[in-house]
Amino acid sequence: MGTITFCYDSNVRTAYKVRLCPTPEQAAVLNRTFGCVRVVWNRTLAWRRARYHGECVKTNFTQANAYLTAMKAFDDLAWLNEVSSVPLHQAIRHQQVAFSNFFADRARHPRHKSRNGRQSAEYTRSGFRWRDGTLTLAKMNVPLAFVWSWPDVDPAALDPTTVTVSKDPCGRWYASLAMDVADPEQAPAAGAAVGVDLGVTDFAVTSDGEKIANPRHLARRERNLAHYQRRMARKQRGSANRGEARAKVARAHRKVAAARADFLHKTSTRLVRDHDLIVIEDLNVRGMVGNRPLAKAISDCGWGAFRRMLEYKTAKHGRRLIVVDRWFPSSKTCSACGHLLASLSLSARTWQCPSCGTRHDRDVNAAKNILAAGRAVSACGADVRHSGSSRVRSAVKQEPRPARAGAPVLRRGE
Ligand SMILES: [Zn+2]
């Protein structure tokens, strides 16, 4: 658990995730709300699907919202009126975003929500009251008890704009308090830039020659998880034993996720602290995950999460992140003279440039090229901060290729 900051519509927001201790009455209200959110999500999803396949029309936010109003009048769904309407509207809003992402080819098709997974409900300002560091949700008379784990932050001084209550499959309750932050904290200039090559053998290799290995304890926790998953598979469906086995899988899962998140946070924080400019390759994780054998290795590495952390942390601290095109031949180009090899086998860990004779470590050389490509983007300008993408000529290859600034740049120059 910790502070999470993320980038949202170019506003920097900070979120505090706290452990909740609801009373049995409050837990009942929340469970009922989760159920309603799930039903609203699933029914709206089914309705959209039917419209899309039957009438070939896409559903917009206004239409989906109107459908929610209609559902509340259905005889079998009258109980939707018993919970706060705010989380139900938020569910429609999130589904709309999920569909925009799907139609823009940025995400998978939104899925049915299961009662066995993580449950959540999001409250905007009209659905909760935050007063003197206490949180009261709509349809509740008393504040929710929670554990505050930041001794140097006074909760009474905060002004959350959104509260997301959730329950994980192990039955733990959380609330994530999100708030807008007016000004990013400017870190002192570090006077250094770095290129980062993400890999499978090592988690990452930097242009400074540092190899960041995947932590060993992660592999051990993953073996535990696999063990519990196999045990669960052998239990009969619907049996008490299976329920117990599922709880163990959920707990092992949470440990793997927490260990991975911890590693990614430490690594990204260090990179952002020590460098003014960070350049990474756009790996299109989603496309690569389609490749089965690589899929597990990649999703385990958490590259997508790592990139999002770099995005919001660079934005928060006034650093700069540049994402260079993934078709860029970073491995096969000599970072010393620019010579481009015709081919380089995946097993070749080192190679010697036939043109200038420099000996290269495969991954460090790739990271150096990534940094050079990023510097070229950085040098060509201030316009990168306004346009989402710009075509630039790279320093190392003779054809134009697109590059993107990964996050809004809050401060000019390095
Ligand atoms: Zn060379």
Side-chain angles (χ1 to χ4, degrees):
M1 224 184 308
T3 320
I4 310 149
T5 313
F6 49 97
C7 231
Y8 187 78
D9 291 348
S10 83
N11 272 330
V12 177
R13 288 194 182 186
T14 293
Y16 291 91
K17 189 172 178 182
V18 298
R19 186 84 179 264
L20 283 184
C21 320
T23 64
E25 293 77 29
Q26 290 172 328
V29 170
L30 289 172
N31 279 326
R32 203 153 50 230
T33 308
F34 291 157
C36 291
V37 166
R38 213 168 54 228
V39 163
V40 163
W41 175 280
N42 290 340
R43 291 266 192 134
T44 312
L45 190 64
W47 177 70
R48 275 175 192 269
R49 226 182 244 151
R51 273 165 59 85
Y52 191 69
H53 292 299
E55 305 158 42
C56 294
V57 284
K58 287 188 191 176
T59 302
N60 64 29
F61 178 66
T62 316
Q63 291 161 336
N65 228 1
Y67 186 67
L68 169 59
T69 311
M71 269 193 289
K72 286 177 159 187
F74 293 171
D75 286 342
D76 62 325
L77 294 178
W79 40 273
L80 289 179
N81 296 293
E82 291 167 18
V83 304
S84 164
S85 63
V86 175
L88 308 184
H89 281 284
Q90 288 305 99
I92 299 285
R93 203 176 293 277
H94 285 300
Q95 192 172 89
Q96 198 64 38
V97 173
F99 269 98
S100 316
N101 286 337
F102 168 68
F103 284 121
D105 206 24
R106 285 190 297 262
R108 318 165 48 154
H109 192 280
R111 284 189 290 179
H112 185 88
K113 282 197 196 299
S114 151
R115 63 171 67 232
N116 293 324
R118 174 184 176 271
Q119 306 293 313
S120 72
E122 188 179 286
Y123 295 80
T124 51
R125 273 207 171 109
S126 55
F128 70 90
R129 194 171 66 233
W130 180 262
R131 194 169 290 160
D132 300 329
T134 66
L135 172 66
T136 314
L137 294 181
K139 307 274 177 186
M140 287 185 194
N141 303 320
V142 283
L144 272 160
F146 59 82
V147 184
W148 189 254
S149 10
W150 299 271
D152 37 340
V153 177
D154 176 13
L158 300 178
D159 181 24
T161 53
T162 314
V163 173
T164 307
V165 178
S166 60
K167 187 170 77 165
D168 72 13
C170 312
R172 288 158 214 261
W173 297 87
Y174 298 98
S176 179
L177 315 166
M179 51 218 92
D180 292 325
V181 176
D183 274 316
E185 303 155 28
Q186 298 286 309
V194 71
V196 182
D197 181 46
L198 297 171
V200 175
T201 328
D202 290 300
F203 173 75
V205 176
T206 73
S207 51
D208 303 328
E210 188 196 352
K211 300 198 168 180
I212 304 167
N214 278 299
R216 281 174 196 281
H217 60 90
L218 205 54
R220 199 186 62 231
R221 289 186 197 283
E222 274 163 3
R223 278 198 301 276
N224 272 336
L225 172 61
H227 168 75
Y228 287 126
Q229 274 168 336
R230 279 195 303 273
R231 278 191 18 187
M232 181 175 103
R234 287 200 296 266
K235 311 282 185 211
Q236 195 158 15
R237 279 186 171 275
S239 69
N241 276 339
R242 183 157 173 123
E244 225 168 83
R246 177 187 293 128
K248 283 196 173 140
V249 168
R251 205 171 311 135
H253 227 285
R254 198 169 43 78
K255 283 186 178 167
V256 168
R260 187 180 297 137
D262 182 60
F263 165 71
L264 297 177
H265 270 298
K266 283 183 177 143
T267 307
S268 56
T269 296
R270 190 164 57 83
L271 283 170
V272 170
R273 187 194 60 208
D274 296 345
H275 303 94
D276 303 307
L277 171 69
I278 298 170
V279 189
I280 57 172
E281 243 180 327
D282 182 1
L283 284 158
N284 188 355
V285 173
R286 200 164 80 88
M288 284 173 81
V289 169
N291 172 348
R292 275 279 157 194
L294 259 182
K296 189 174 154 25
I298 289 169
S299 54
D300 285 359
C301 289
W303 288 343
F306 185 66
R307 176 173 162 175
R308 284 190 297 277
M309 288 178 189
L310 286 176
E311 284 174 0
Y312 73 70
K313 288 179 186 180
T314 47
K316 184 181 181 193
H317 297 290
R319 306 298 205 205
R320 191 160 180 201
L321 176 72
I322 289 177
V323 181
V324 295
D325 178 43
R326 71 198 180 96
W327 300 120
F328 165 61
S330 54
S331 300
K332 294 191 293 183
T333 307
C334 170
S335 58
C337 73
H339 180 85
L340 178 63
L341 292 181
S343 68
L344 179 64
S345 80
L346 262 174
S347 58
R349 303 316 303 166
T350 61
W351 58 279
Q352 185 160 22
C353 175
S355 173
C356 72
T358 310
R359 274 211 80 81
H360 292 295
D361 173 286
R362 179 198 183 92
D363 299 327
V364 175
N365 177 64
K368 284 181 177 167
N369 284 326
I370 290 168
L371 175 59
R375 279 193 198 280
V377 176
S378 172
C380 79
D383 60 321
V384 177
R385 60 185 280 165
H386 295 302
S387 63
S389 81
S390 62
R391 294 188 78 82
V392 293
R393 291 185 78 81
S394 156
V396 286
K397 203 184 161 216
Q398 295 311 306
E399 61 188 62
R401 66 180 68 86
R404 268 185 304 136
V409 178
L410 299 172
R411 191 185 55 169
R412 186 118 49 113
E414 271 79 45

